Amino acid sequence: MPSPLVVTLVLDEVAQARFDAKRAALFPAGRTAVGAHVTLFHALPGEHADAVGADLAAAADRPPFPVAVTGLQPLGRGVAYRLRSAELAAVHARLRARWEPWLTRQDAQPFRPHVTVQNKVTPEQARETLARLEAGFVPGEVTATGLALWAYAGGPWEPLSRFPFGPGPAVP
């Protein structure tokens, strides 16, 4: 049985580096298998990889777009940055409608885009991190530059393809 597929949003390099640095500083050592990411779909069936890839290529035929970083979100045992974008919501909704028969319960939930920068800590540590990050938070904007397809390998994700926004083919 092929590995489940994960679909993420690709952010501009500066934003990615900033979120990766926060994640590296805030995650417990050895408890993260992937860098910072915006998960659009957590577990699509691996046997549909070709169809998922074709749908992502079609969805990527559009210009990059802004995504607002609106605040922080407590996760109980971690913290995330909340994101908001009408364009992202529209891309997600179109893909969700296309893949509706394949969605897990988690992927069928309402879409709440975010970047997790801390997880797998005690609730007290998470509350402390939330307070510290909120004290210095300034709303901002990042740029969505594409979509990425991954195979979930039980921990680390195996990159399969990137689909940059704009005309053109996927990048392996």
Side-chain angles (χ1 to χ4, degrees), residues 90-109:
V91 168
H92 183 269
R94 283 192 298 277
L95 292 171
R96 181 180 172 149
R98 177 91 171 121
W99 300 334
E100 194 275 328
W102 306 334
L103 298 182
T104 62
R105 281 181 63 188
Q106 184 178 24
D107 285 333
Q109 298 286 326

Side-chain angles (χ1 to χ4, degrees), residues 136-149:
F137 178 75
V138 176
E141 194 171 273
V142 298
T143 301
T145 61
L147 303 167
L149 180 61

Side-chain angles (χ1 to χ4, degrees), residues 44-122:
L44 296 169
E47 62 268 21
H48 296 296
D50 290 343
V52 169
D55 291 342
L56 291 174
D61 187 16
R62 54 152 304 119
F65 55 87
V67 177
V69 182
T70 61
L72 289 139
Q73 173 179 329
L75 300 175
R77 299 179 71 80
V79 177
Y81 283 90
R82 280 191 310 266
L83 306 176
R84 187 177 59 230
S85 165
E87 292 92 342
L88 177 56
V91 168
H92 183 269
R94 283 192 298 277
L95 292 171
R96 181 180 172 149
R98 177 91 171 121
W99 300 334
E100 194 275 328
W102 306 334
L103 298 182
T104 62
R105 281 181 63 188
Q106 184 178 24
D107 285 333
Q109 298 286 326
F111 182 51
R112 293 183 183 95
H114 64 276
V115 178
T116 301
V117 292
Q118 183 183 60
N119 207 355
K120 303 175 185 173
V121 299
T122 66

